[in-house]
Amino acid sequence: QIDEAKAAASVENLRSPICCILGHVDTGKTKLLDKIRQTNVQEGEAGGITQQIGATYFPMDAIKQKTVVVNKDGKMEYKVPGLLVIDTPGHESFTNLRSRGSSLCNIAILVVDIMHGLEPQTIESLNLLRDRKTPFIVALNKIDRLYDWKAIPNNGFQDSLAKQKKSVQNEFKDRLEKTIVAFQENGLNAALFYENKNMGKYVSFVPTSAHTGEGIPDMLKLLVTLTQQRMAEKLMYLSEIECTVLEVKVIEGLGTTIDVILSNGVLREGDRIVMCGLNGAISTNIRALLTPQPLKELRIKSQYVHHKEVKAALGVKIAANDLEHAIAGSRLLVVGPDDDEEDLEMEVMSDLEQLFSKVSTS
Ligand code: GDP
């Protein structure tokens, strides 16, 4: 079984990276997410974008469509199967787990308002990303608010900028420079994405507008390129499961459920699972694995699709007994045939102790 896993683990067989969005309030995080999703909702289900529990899945076909304008030479490579974007900006499980080594997010988008530059929560987010060693890009959002900006909807950024008046180009350069300097003052080297010659050392800035859609193709292209170039190893399928509890919710007809992000591996109906609970570790069996019906409103009850088995990366709802005291942010483990349940219980609970000791000392 291990050989099989190893054989499957190659750069030709990568799982989808998981992307989080964070930044200061009102910089446009929610709007950016809406904008990426929306263009495809209009095109119906053809793009294959699916709403998941707490996340949205973009298959590579959808990303290809959305990056056409910045891939005119056809040289862009698409190796990952898609991208899973966590829906809730600044979700607590992202911050909750800051003391742990492994991370829910493989890559992050830090959103900055070009009219405001660096703000207090931007610095908080920066420190968080740095602590967690999460690679990220910066979306320099709201470029349409530059004085006299003439929008070309959903265009690539460079082309849009080239078509602006000199005064607009100058205002852009000025604001970009100021933000780059502010980042430097916080110990971070940054560069405009198409001038960035060293993605390992410099963080890329992508100018975007969540209103006009400009720069969004560039942002998607950068996310895909960066994950493929810099994280192939992290994106290989593992036989071991990697799963995080996002939320604990009572659902009529299902009882207490947990919404989880499965980052790697496979979950099956009936699996014995272990996670952190307020009164000690919780061990229980998966009664149902659920995802929303395609294109239907998430919150309507009994609209779920049942699965016998789900594969990473995706968002899924788990129904099981004894979930009342589960803790959002907890890791979820599966008890395998050779595992000792008590060992796993101790393992997940050690996360919690680390978390509390971190909290009390900081
Ligand atoms: P969040 O708090 O970061 O999630 O920010 P929101 O997405 O809720 O956006 C905050 C406000 O900024 C809303 O009024 C948005 O309409 C507006 N906004 C977001 N993105 C843009 C943009 O690209 N251009 C302009 N002009 N306004 C934007």
Side-chain angles (χ1 to χ4, degrees):
Q1 199 189 348
I2 288 170
D3 285 347
E4 203 180 293
K6 270 192 188 149
S10 82
V11 282
E12 303 309 317
N13 184 24
L14 300 178
R15 69 176 174 85
S16 307
I18 300 175
C19 175
C20 293
I21 302 194
L22 67 174
H24 195 84
V25 65
D26 278 348
T27 49
K29 300 179 290 294
T30 312
K31 204 83 197 168
L32 268 175
L33 269 169
D34 284 350
K35 192 69 186 175
I36 325 177
R37 271 192 300 246
Q38 170 208 324
T39 34
N40 253 104
V41 172
Q42 288 166 348
E43 289 155 23
E45 269 185 280
I49 295 177
T50 50
Q51 187 129 46
Q52 313 216 324
I53 300 287
T56 305
Y57 184 68
F58 297 87
M60 198 38 85
D61 277 348
I63 295 177
K64 276 183 189 166
Q65 280 178 27
K66 286 166 181 290
T67 49
V68 165
V69 297
V70 289
N71 187 29
K72 289 191 174 131
D73 59 6
K75 281 193 182 148
M76 187 176 161
E77 280 188 288
Y78 303 90
K79 285 184 193 158
V80 291
L83 191 65
L84 187 72
V85 181
I86 305 287
D87 280 346
T88 332
H91 198 285
E92 69 178 289
S93 52
F94 189 77
T95 38
N96 228 359
L97 286 178
R98 76 178 93 187
S99 61
R100 273 215 1 244
S102 83
S103 158
L104 172 65
C105 291
N106 302 117
I107 190 156
I109 304 170
L110 174 58
V111 187
V112 171
D113 182 334
I114 191 169
M115 305 308 280
H116 294 167
L118 213 65
E119 296 180 90
Q121 274 173 275
T122 321
I123 299 174
E124 248 172 60
S125 306
L126 259 180
N127 292 335
L128 187 62
L129 291 166
R130 231 177 341 206
D131 278 1
R132 315 272 322 261
K133 298 191 172 65
T134 306
F136 64 99
I137 62 172
V138 174
L140 200 54
N141 194 37
K142 307 198 186 181
I143 51 167
D144 61 288
R145 291 194 54 204
L146 294 169
Y147 184 74
D148 226 6
W149 180 270
K150 298 278 183 293
I152 305 171
N154 304 312
N155 198 17
F157 171 74
Q158 279 174 273
D159 186 59
S160 268
L161 183 70
K163 290 180 175 147
Q164 304 299 321
K165 276 199 253 170
K166 199 79 200 151
S167 63
V168 181
Q169 293 176 350
N170 286 340
E171 187 190 349
F172 168 73
K173 266 191 212 136
D174 191 43
R175 292 191 183 276
L176 172 75
E177 277 311 315
K178 282 195 179 120
T179 313
I180 287 182
V181 169
F183 268 69
Q184 265 162 1
E185 285 166 0
N186 283 279
L188 206 92
N189 293 319
L192 189 58
F193 71 104
Y194 51 86
E195 291 169 355
N196 190 352
K197 301 284 181 282
N198 186 347
M199 296 224 282
K201 278 216 169 123
Y202 289 78
V203 167
S204 287
F205 274 38
V206 200
T208 57
S209 166
H211 278 187
T212 70
E214 286 163 299
I216 289 180
D218 305 278
M219 185 178 90
L220 290 171
K221 181 176 176 179
L222 201 61
L223 284 175
V224 169
T225 312
L226 203 63
T227 46
Q228 288 174 169
Q229 278 179 359
R230 302 213 27 231
M231 343 181 17
E233 254 170 53
K234 274 197 184 159
L235 296 178
M236 289 176 187
Y237 275 106
L238 298 173
S239 49
E240 218 172 286
I241 186 169
E242 247 179 65
C243 188
T244 309
V245 179
L246 270 189
E247 265 180 279
V248 185
K249 272 191 208 160
V250 178
I251 304 283
E252 216 182 304
L254 290 174
T256 305
T257 64
I258 47 172
D259 294 350
V260 304
I261 296 292
L262 178 63
S263 316
N264 214 331
V266 178
L267 276 179
R268 296 180 180 88
E269 203 183 82
D271 272 353
R272 184 87 180 152
I273 52 174
V274 177
M275 76 208 81
C276 290
L278 284 174
N279 310 324
I282 298 169
S283 299
T284 182
N285 293 316
I286 297 180
R287 195 168 61 228
L289 282 170
L290 309 157
T291 57
Q293 298 278 6
L295 282 188
K296 290 211 176 128
E297 173 52 46
L298 252 181
R299 310 204 190 285
I300 298 172
K301 40 189 174 183
S302 71
Q303 294 281 323
Y304 295 105
V305 185
H306 286 246
H307 300 268
K308 286 279 171 227
E309 175 178 303
V310 292
K311 249 180 113 175
L314 89 172
V316 62
K317 183 182 278 301
I318 295 177
N321 294 336
D322 305 324
L323 294 176
E324 291 77 14
H325 300 296
I327 297 178
S330 162
R331 215 162 23 132
L332 183 147
L333 301 174
V334 172
V335 185
D338 304 325
D339 292 326
D340 182 84
E341 193 168 305
E342 269 177 43
D343 285 349
L344 297 189
E345 288 179 346
M346 270 165 45
E347 199 183 323
V348 286
M349 288 310 284
S350 71
D351 293 348
L352 198 64
E353 280 152 25
Q354 274 177 32
L355 178 71
F356 283 146
S357 64
K358 179 97 174 191
V359 169
S360 58
T361 56
S362 63

